């Protein structure tokens, strides 16, 4: 097992043990790729939402929020292109009976060739030491060149096949690249078929004339269909944005990697409506802003990278992914897309209602262009806990497990812990807790030795523990213990709230 796999397993186990995430309907053996957030998970998740909402809506005068219904008129999904084009190409291995996304098999093959290049570079850098010229090596080494040519050739054919919906082309690539099933090891593949990812259901009873409805596969369409409502009632001038947080549903073929790819998940999306021709400028602006949002959490820059799309979605003219280095490698966490007037134009056509903007400066009417930022809430959760999870060896030889969460996002901000469960300390502790609970999500704990209670709080990422001891009864001071340094200092009990508030403050980008 690789180091990354080992860490990932530990994170999943930790999430369950400490009430962050449980498999859905676990007593019935779970439901594939569906998860429930537990008592600590829901707090962390709500704090992430709050951080996003504040930085998008509260701190941008020209962005407002909505909360649209999950069910929408079925024509919405016809107009958006999801009925016809929201497909993944799937392929089955006849021996293992396992199902794969054909595009993912090819992408993984490309990634393994990229990995070979990285290995050549690492080996050469070691051999040549300080005199190593990486650029020159990449340009001249025959093995690197051969792999680079292979990658370029595959990419050209892959992108063409995906863009033209050429399923036979994908199948031919899989055969020619001799891609084997990771389970059976065989190359006994079926044909590639398109698979629509939307879940559908019936609304109303059959006698009523039931109509097919979909569980929304993205929250964005709830924003598009409300564009005019918000623009008119909010008297909004371009450029302005509409933000939304909500559930989305996709019948993923390959649902794996814990909460990374789920069938029911949450998105935080913002559609920024701009004058046509200004989309490039706003696209660059939002790329920069969104990156700053992550960095403000104190997560190192090296754990992120941006990846421009080779293959654009059916609605985009520019698109980039922000990727995060999860324990299983760099993967998409957020997409920033320049969606042109594709969506508003299509809704205008299908609904027969005008969705134009009257520009008071030029006296023109036009359909605005849209730059979208679309971030997966669950993937952000996974990124934050993956980065926060630490196993530390302490100076005294003991070990501790600590969640190094950004304090503002921690489920519990303060734990109030009487040193012993006697001598009036629990009563004093309760009094401190009862005051603090109006300011922060706090916990009161008086069971077990103080050391064990500190460890339990470290494991859920509580940034501050307040200890009530005998001195507290004498002079009204308490100790405040900081999670990461484990340092303690004495402060007046009356100051706890202001001290903690100052230390956990997070000013979003
Ligand atoms: N409105 C544009 C849109 O939905 P997307 O790239 O398909 O774009 C945006 O999705 C984000 O939603 C992704 O970057 C990812 O973080 C999250 N996401 C997509 N599918 C997901 C899934 N099955 N499970 C968890 N998160 C998912």
């Amino acid at each position: 097992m690789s180091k990354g796999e080992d860490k990932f397993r530990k994170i999943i186990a930790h999430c369950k043990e400490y009430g962050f995430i449980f498999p859905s309907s676990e007593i019935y053996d779970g439901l594939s790729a569906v998860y429930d957030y537990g008592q600590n998970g829901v707090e962390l998740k709500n704090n992430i939402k709050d951080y996003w909402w504040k930085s998008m809506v509260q701190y941008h005068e020209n962005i407002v929020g909505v909360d649209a219904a999950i069910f929408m008129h079925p024509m919405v999904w016809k107009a958006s292109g999801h009925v016809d084009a929201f497909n993944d190409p799937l392929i089955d291995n006849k021996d293992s009976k396992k199902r794969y996304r054909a595009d993912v098999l090819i992408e993984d093959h490309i990634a393994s060739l990229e990995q070979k290049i990285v290995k050549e570079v690492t080996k050469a850098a070691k051999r040549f030491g300080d005199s190593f010229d990486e650029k020159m090596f990449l340009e001249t080494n025959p093995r690197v060149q051969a792999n680079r040519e292979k990658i370029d050739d595959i990419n050209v054919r892959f992108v063409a096949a995906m863009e033209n919906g050429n399923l036979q082309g994908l199948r031919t690539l899989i055969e020619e690249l001799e891609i084997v099933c990771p389970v059976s090891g065989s190359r006994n593949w079926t044909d590639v078929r398109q698979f629509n990812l939307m879940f559908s259901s019936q609304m109303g009873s059959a006698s009523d004339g039931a109509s097919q409805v979909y569980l929304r596969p993205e929250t964005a369409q709830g924003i598009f269909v409300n564009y005019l409502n918000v623009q008119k009632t909010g008297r909004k001038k371009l450029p302005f944005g509409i933000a939304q947080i909500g559930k989305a549903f996709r019948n993923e073929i390959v649902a794996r990697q814990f909460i990374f790819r789920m069938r029911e998940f949450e998105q935080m999306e913002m559609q920024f409506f701009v004058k046509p021709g200004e989309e490039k400028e706003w696209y660059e602006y939002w790329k920069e802003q969104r990156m700053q949002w992550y960095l403000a959490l104190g997560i190192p820059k090296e754990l992120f990278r941006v990846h421009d799309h080779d293959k654009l979605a059916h609605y985009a003219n520019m698109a980039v992914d922000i990727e995060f280095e999860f324990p299983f490698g760099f993967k998409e966490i957020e997409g920033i897309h320049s969606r042109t007037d594709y969506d508003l134009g299509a809704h205008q056509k299908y609904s027969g209602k005008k969705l134009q903007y009257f520009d008071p400066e030029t006296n023109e009417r036009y359909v605005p262009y849209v730059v979208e930022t679309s971030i997966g809430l669950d993937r952000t959760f996974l990124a934050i806990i993956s980065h926060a999870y630490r196993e530390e060896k302490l100076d005294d030889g003991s070990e501790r497990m600590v969640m190094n969460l950004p304090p503002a996002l921690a489920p519990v901000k303060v734990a109030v812990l009487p040193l012993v469960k006697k001598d009036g300390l629990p009563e004093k502790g309760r009094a401190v807790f009862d005051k603090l609970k109006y300011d922060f999500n706090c916990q009161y704990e008086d069971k077990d030795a103080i050391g064990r209670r500190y460890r339990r709080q470290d494991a859920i990422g509580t940034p501050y523990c307040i200890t009530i001891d005998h001195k507290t009864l004498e002079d009204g001071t308490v100790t405040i213990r900081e999670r990461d340094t484990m340092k303690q200092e004495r402060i007046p009990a009356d100051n706890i709230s202001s001290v903690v508030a100052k230390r956990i403050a997070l000013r979003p980008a």
Side-chain angles (χ1 to χ4, degrees):
M1 193 189 301
S2 73
K3 240 174 129 182
E5 279 167 349
D6 183 44
K7 182 176 174 190
F8 193 38
R9 273 177 191 224
K10 285 181 176 163
I11 290 170
I12 296 171
H14 188 84
C15 279
K16 182 158 175 230
E17 190 180 345
Y18 285 92
F20 283 92
I21 296 169
F22 307 124
S24 157
S25 349
E26 197 187 4
I27 56 169
Y28 294 98
D29 298 332
L31 182 66
S32 171
V34 186
Y35 289 91
D36 297 338
Y37 285 80
Q39 67 279 17
N40 289 317
V42 69
E43 295 290 343
L44 173 55
K45 197 178 182 197
N46 283 341
N47 293 338
I48 299 171
K49 286 191 212 182
D50 188 53
Y51 172 49
W52 185 85
W53 192 264
K54 280 201 173 122
S55 71
M56 297 306 258
V57 179
Q58 188 176 328
Y59 300 139
H60 284 93
E61 210 183 324
N62 57 353
I63 300 182
V64 291
V66 293
D67 182 18
I70 287 173
F71 286 132
M72 301 181 77
H73 193 286
M75 283 306 279
V76 167
W77 305 111
K78 187 74 192 154
S80 69
H82 285 81
V83 171
D84 297 320
F86 197 54
N87 300 318
D88 276 345
L90 70 84
I91 190 165
D92 292 281
N93 183 270
K94 291 182 193 163
D95 297 322
S96 66
K97 309 273 183 274
K98 291 276 174 210
R99 180 160 287 178
Y100 299 92
R101 270 175 60 176
D103 56 332
V104 172
L105 286 178
I106 296 167
E107 276 168 5
D108 285 352
H109 184 82
I110 294 172
S112 71
L113 292 173
E114 295 276 8
Q115 208 43 45
K116 280 188 184 164
I117 295 179
V118 171
K119 271 195 188 142
E120 291 287 352
V121 172
T122 316
K123 245 173 42 197
K126 247 194 202 152
R127 202 168 54 234
F128 294 112
D130 286 346
S131 63
F132 181 59
D133 180 342
E134 185 173 329
K135 189 164 175 284
M136 165 111 87
F137 180 79
L138 287 172
E139 280 166 6
T140 53
N141 180 276
R143 280 186 302 275
V144 169
Q145 290 285 302
N147 277 325
R148 179 59 51 212
E149 270 167 34
K150 269 190 211 162
I151 292 170
D152 290 345
D153 176 56
I154 299 168
N155 259 328
V156 169
R157 294 172 61 195
F158 177 46
V159 170
M162 289 296 282
E163 275 178 356
N164 301 326
N166 177 1
L167 303 181
Q168 185 51 44
L170 292 177
R171 166 90 209 259
T172 309
L173 254 180
I174 288 172
E175 268 173 7
E176 283 180 15
L177 298 174
E178 302 186 346
I179 295 175
V180 297
C181 165
V183 176
S184 66
S186 89
R187 286 191 258 139
N188 195 6
W189 297 109
T190 62
D191 283 342
V192 178
R193 282 165 294 144
Q194 287 290 27
F195 178 76
N196 193 287
L197 299 185
M198 282 197 294
F199 284 101
S200 66
S201 186
Q202 299 294 318
M203 186 173 261
S205 70
S207 54
D208 281 334
S211 60
Q212 188 174 34
V213 286
Y214 298 99
L215 292 181
R216 66 181 178 200
E218 62 170 13
T219 57
Q221 298 303 323
I223 294 179
F224 289 123
V225 298
N226 278 301
Y227 153 74
L228 210 55
N229 284 336
V230 173
Q231 192 268 319
K232 288 239 154 86
T233 57
R235 293 181 296 122
K236 292 284 165 207
K237 287 216 174 83
L238 292 191
F240 77 93
I242 305 179
Q244 174 168 223
I245 299 176
K247 291 263 181 171
F249 305 82
R250 296 183 188 176
N251 197 1
E252 299 283 359
I253 303 170
V254 188
R256 53 177 180 181
Q257 289 164 325
F258 194 36
I259 58 169
F260 179 80
R261 194 178 300 288
M262 295 198 287
R263 296 201 163 102
E264 174 180 341
F265 58 99
E266 255 179 289
Q267 290 185 316
M268 305 191 285
E269 297 200 296
M270 193 279 298
Q271 315 298 131
F272 201 68
F273 299 91
V274 304
K275 187 173 177 176
E278 293 182 359
E279 71 273 18
K280 172 97 178 106
E281 177 194 327
W282 286 109
Y283 175 73
E284 295 302 333
Y285 171 84
W286 282 110
K287 253 164 80 171
E288 171 65 23
Q289 280 279 309
R290 292 303 306 141
M291 194 49 105
Q292 290 308 323
W293 184 85
Y294 294 101
L295 300 182
L297 288 172
I299 304 177
K301 207 172 176 188
E302 309 79 76
L303 294 182
F304 294 93
R305 69 179 190 197
V306 290
H307 172 251
D308 286 300
H309 282 211
D310 299 323
K311 177 189 172 283
L312 291 168
H314 59 273
Y315 48 73
N317 72 351
M318 285 179 283
V320 70
D321 290 339
I322 296 181
E323 296 185 340
F324 178 79
E325 190 171 14
F326 290 97
F328 41 84
F330 273 101
K331 295 273 180 210
E332 173 188 345
I333 187 168
E334 173 161 3
I336 297 159
H337 312 120
S338 170
R339 293 179 77 130
T340 66
D341 58 357
Y342 178 87
D343 303 84
L344 289 182
H347 287 307
Q348 188 168 256
K349 185 169 138 215
Y350 278 81
S351 68
K353 309 272 168 25
K354 285 227 174 319
L355 295 175
Q356 289 177 330
Y357 174 75
F358 174 72
D359 192 329
E361 279 165 25
T362 60
N363 281 339
E364 286 173 295
R365 280 181 200 282
Y366 50 80
V367 176
Y369 270 33
V370 170
V371 176
E372 163 186 79
T373 69
S374 175
I375 166 174
L377 175 54
D378 313 271
R379 286 191 192 176
T380 310
F381 186 109
L382 184 57
I384 288 169
I385 51 171
S386 305
H387 174 250
Y389 183 91
R390 305 268 150 87
E391 285 166 4
E392 286 182 356
K393 260 221 154 19
L394 303 180
D395 291 345
D396 64 3
S398 66
E399 280 180 17
R400 76 161 179 163
M401 193 283 122
V402 58
M403 283 289 231
N404 193 225
L405 294 169
L409 303 186
V412 176
K413 302 288 187 276
V414 185
V416 179
L417 315 171
L419 187 62
V420 287
K421 208 176 166 183
K422 56 181 184 185
D423 304 336
L425 300 188
E427 290 75 11
K428 180 67 188 165
R430 279 260 165 231
V432 169
F433 171 82
D434 280 336
K435 252 174 97 179
L436 273 184
K437 72 183 178 191
Y438 295 107
D439 298 329
F440 313 105
N441 194 30
C442 301
Q443 268 185 9
Y444 172 85
E445 261 210 302
D446 58 16
K447 280 202 192 72
D448 297 330
I450 190 79
R452 288 184 71 178
R453 281 180 275 160
Y454 285 150
R455 290 290 177 274
R456 280 205 291 271
Q457 295 298 332
D458 289 342
I460 61 168
T462 305
Y464 294 103
C465 288
I466 299 293
T467 310
I468 312 291
D469 54 20
H470 294 92
K471 202 162 183 307
T472 311
L473 303 181
E474 286 164 23
D475 64 7
T477 61
V478 297
T479 63
I480 180 166
R481 170 192 182 266
E482 207 270 332
R483 178 194 64 200
D484 301 339
T485 58
M486 293 183 287
K487 286 214 171 92
Q488 304 198 15
E489 59 185 296
R490 269 207 108 79
I491 59 167
D494 289 342
N495 294 359
I496 302 171
S497 186
S498 59
V499 168
V500 172
K502 215 191 244 161
R503 294 185 189 178
I504 67 170
L506 173 64
R507 189 133 292 233

